Amino acid sequence: MSSSSPKVVNATLNSSTNEFEVFQTKPTRSKFDFSSADPSQNWIHDNQQGWNTAPQSNVNGWFTEPYDNNIDHHVEPGRFSTKDTATTTFRLNMEIDDIPVFTKVTDYTSFRTQNIIPDYDDIITAEELKDPDEWDNRSYRDPLPGIPINRVKAPYANADQYLYTHFELMRQDFLIPLQKAVKAYKEAHSNVKGDDVGEAMEVLSFQKPFRLYEHVHLNAIVFGSRQPLYRISFRLPYYVRVNWNQSKRLMPGSLVLLSKDHFQKDLKIATVVERGDEPMRGPNRFEYMVDLYLERDNENDPLGFGDPSLSSEDTYIMIEATDGYFEAYRHVLGVFQRIAPEKLPFSQYLVNLSNSVLVPHYAALKRQYDINVQPSKRNRQRWPVDIMGKWPIYGTGMDKTQLDALKTILSNNLSIVQGPPGTGKTFVGTYAMRVLLNNFNESLGPIVCICQTNHALDQFLEHILDHSDAIVRVGGRSKSELLKYHTLYELKKTHERPRGVGRLYRNRDNITAEIKTALIELYEEPCVTLDFISSINGLRPRQIESMKRINEREKNRTTSSNLLDSFGIVDNDSDDDWEISSDIPSTPSTPVKNNKNNKKTNAKKNTTKKAAKNEWAGGNPNHNDEAKEKPPNPVEIWLKEAIDYVEEDGTMSSLDDELKQMALEKEKGLVFEDMIDERELIEEEELKEVITNYTEEPRKNPFIQIGKSYQRLTNPGPDERPQRKIVNYKKMKATNTFNTQQFNFFEDTIDESALEEESTKYSLERWMKEDDVSMWPLPVRLKAHKKWAEQRNAALEAKLNSLMKQYLTMSTEIRKIMASFEAKICREHRIVGMTSTAAAKYHDLLEEMRPRVMVVEEAAEMLESHIISALTNSLEHLILIGDHQQLRPSTAVHELSENHALGVSLFERLVINEFPFTRLSHQRRMRPEIRSLIDPIYKNPPLNDHPEVLQFPPVRGMDQSVFFLAHEEEETNISESASKVNEHEAKLSAKLSVYLLLQGYKTKDITIITMYSGQKQMIKKFLREERRPDIDPELIHVSSVDGYQGEENKIIILSLVRSNSNGQIGFLKVANRVCVALSRAKHGMYILGNARLLCEKSDLWNEIVGSLEDRNTNMIDTKITLRCDKHNEKTEIKWPVDFTEVAEGGCRRICNEELPCGHRCTLKCHPYDHSDYRCKQNCEKILECGHRCLRRCCESCNPCLQPINIRFPCQHTGTMECGIIRSLVLAPQGRTCPVCKAPLSTK
């Protein structure tokens, strides 16, 4: 059939429903596919051309009705057919006679049963089924097939469609990076030949969508506070160097993928729970350990609990996607699934885009407010207002727009306040909260405050703390000293634990004990018991009796051996290394061959056991129980020739392994030593925030080691070795009687009957007919026992899995009780603060609190789904404060942000649709010339200056307070990564910072910001190189633009970085980021960048640069002018080296300022005063004695150093300093002539 032929499908008409059922038997597109569409991106272009300007087109393609995408083609790995035949239902339009019209139907409720944790099909199969024609050949502006689009300019059909769209967008935002990570890894691995794995991965070590961890093994079962965990050990690839204190790798809450077949069929998914500032070190110097929670196992090949026999240890590789932090998605998606469509708060605004705003229900009953927030005093005035009427004028200190914003907040049940930079939106928000606290008592319930970051939350709560100390801060611990004792963690210490939780903790401890017992049986009982063999009918009754007789014979042999020993007779047939016991030792390694070594090991083991007992309180349950002598196990006696022991480290070392280890040691840290991808980096404080937000409370979790790391949990019995026993199944292979070396191919013939006899000689089926099991050869015994042990171990692992689920269930019950307990504490307070991530994570706590008022600060930076997941059924009043023209929400997948409008916040979506809001108009942060930089962004209405900013002083030592230092020095890539750096700008930034410090500014007054984290690291490096004994520029804060949102400082130095011949300007074309970068400075703003490139590639920058060029004073040039106030002399700087001319912060001239001593300063011109200056010129003052001072000016004048001649009373003469002679004359007692030693005093 040609490609132009119509597609033929099988369809059946259902007469009762008038619907066709179309059966699709062969998937030709992705399960996430849409019908073809050509959506317009004009809305994006309109909004990038200038904020608050009218769109230039009426094309509305972005916001047409979304396509249905409910077709689910589920393909199993290794299968050609689909798992289920997909059936799509189409409605038949019966009003048209001959031509039926089909409409694709999407089930918008399907997301409620969607697994949040992806599976093999979601990550691997879905990626393989993507149609290259749709995915690879599409324009970068086209949406991704099969994924819904956020309806920015049109209402949703219903709440289900709204919730479905945002759920699916969020899910795809973390799923697509996982798909790309696995695909990239498989492609890289498929290109590997031989042992060149390291070399192949080296090629992808930068700009890859995954991070790789090798030699992954199970290490322990850890009993966490919320779930049972696996502790795994891993190694980094030899080409990777990690500074863990600033690394995004394996952050708690990150999703990791494990596989032992390089993702061909095996896939296990886990989340990182515990990493610490730096991962724990493993027994090997190159090994690290982290604790994981297994989210999704491979049912066909489960992770299990390690191999007790050490015969085959699974080795995994582990990868994590470089983009997307799973913890930020998990709780949001879970909340979405639980939201009932009819109970979605504010659905008339969120779904229907209604502009008819209502009054909060609680406020409608009151209406009359007192807006005076001053502390209550006897003569305090009331400022009454009717929130629905016209307000009188009071001395609030607010401008008109701030008062309008206050009225909007108090009177609208969904309030939006836009605050451009420096306009005081936080002040208005906290003022409104104080009004509510003054006018309502505790019956209003706690007011919930949500901020994007911990730092912003601390600042917001500190503003309220002066008015009310009834504050609770939920989530990560605060760095604010003022809020230290207001955290939920600290407040819980002052309350009694809730009733019933102690019983749950005891029940969970009992489950922990059961898990320990099962692991002991799994690891310390290598041989099955006769009872178990009988229960599975592994042997016939006669064979069981034969096995019991072996036990009796062994007892008799032991008795006779002891009798011989008592007479001093040596029994050469006895086995010194054999113990008859089923009480199993510990730890793996090579079999012990020497009894002398055993004594040493015993001593060492005993010491270890004592230490282990003491560690229990610290979280290690691997202590040893008292030894109890057990009856001998006949099966163990039966297999005694195959029983081996393992040493404490559990490793079987060989020469090859040691050589590999030495080679690895040589290469470690030497290859690519300085190459750290900027995507790996995170601020140290930000990393600590992530860890504290995730882990909640510090706790040392108990653990039991497994696999080769297993440590014996029971004490050895009398005369028993301390090492753990294992059955060595390698002895199952019988000795080959066929001599291949003596076989002559041309002369000899093979006796086929002999080979056949050899193969049947150790057949288990043959020997099962033999009733006397003592006659069975060792290989047959091992075959039989391996079969039995596998059945027993499978039963034990099933029991362990059941116990692990019980542990999780019990932990969930504990969490529910603690949530009610924490909600009770929160309800006792007036203000509850948390981050947006914590709001989703602790949604159960929010529901228990039943808040009626919620304030969201920096709401325009938050994804719409983050805000929706924080809403509760009890909520009556939602206040959104932010500025959509500054930073927008960040996403992991850029295409979803741009082409699917995921990056459009709820704040921005409502403003675009003309929802009533108030915009603040007067900025109080920046000098007017700094504010003018953002005039192209805030045009209608323009941003005005408050009178107080006109009083801000100019920057000392600079000719202009705003200046763009233009250059065309090329940028460079850092270590082949995506990060860009500009060494010229980094050096200029460091030199300019030092110059400003010499003007008397403190390090806290200066901030350097840049768009690229690679540049940030380079600037820090050059600041370190500029350190002097008197100043330390390293203390200057260097930040990314995104990280400095909401902050301000006296002086900002902005490094734009981008300068190239390719015409690429990257982040500099994003108006929101530019707005943030240009609006942080109060007194001085200095920009370093390639102005010509920016003007060519960005209309916004062209307008900004043009406004600087049109000023009366020169504010842009290739040279920046420094001004010396002392000499009124100017110095032009173009290159970093030019700062040597003003090394002391002044100008080229000598200072020559008159000092208090009357001399002139001889130093090179400097702006600092002379209070610490030491004049080194001759003093020449006339002293009391009449002589001139011969000392330096900075030295004390006395005593006089002028030499004079003197005659002593004894008539001897001499030459001495004037000061010494005066002291002799004034106090001659006890002094003698230096020549004759005669006393000088005549008394």
Side-chain angles (χ1 to χ4, degrees), residues 60-76:
N60 205 21
W62 247 45
F63 313 104
T64 55
E65 288 291 324
Y67 299 97
D68 297 333
N69 57 347
N70 199 34
I71 300 175
D72 184 16
H73 300 299
H74 192 84
V75 182
E76 290 185 0

Side-chain angles (χ1 to χ4, degrees), residues 192 263 360 369 412 462 494 739 844 957:
V192 173
F263 302 105
Y369 283 34
N412 293 359
E462 283 177 359
T494 63
N739 193 332
D844 53 349

Side-chain angles (χ1 to χ4, degrees), residues 650-670:
T651 56
M652 301 284 185
S653 62
S654 66
L655 180 61
D656 290 341
D657 291 336
E658 291 174 5
L659 291 174
K660 289 178 183 177
Q661 197 78 348
M662 290 171 62
L664 183 61
E665 183 174 349
K666 289 178 181 178
E667 292 171 343
K668 189 72 175 179
L670 297 179

Side-chain angles (χ1 to χ4, degrees), residues 533-566:
I533 296 173
S534 299
S535 68
I536 63 171
N537 297 320
L539 292 175
R540 298 192 303 278
R542 286 188 179 182
Q543 292 170 323
I544 296 288
E545 291 300 320
S546 171
M547 190 81 75
K548 291 179 179 177
R549 288 195 295 273
I550 292 176
N551 194 17
E552 294 298 324
R553 286 198 298 270
E554 186 64 26
K555 284 183 180 178
N556 295 335
R557 189 191 67 79
T558 305
T559 304
S560 62
S561 176
N562 292 339
L563 186 61
L564 290 171
D565 289 344
S566 65

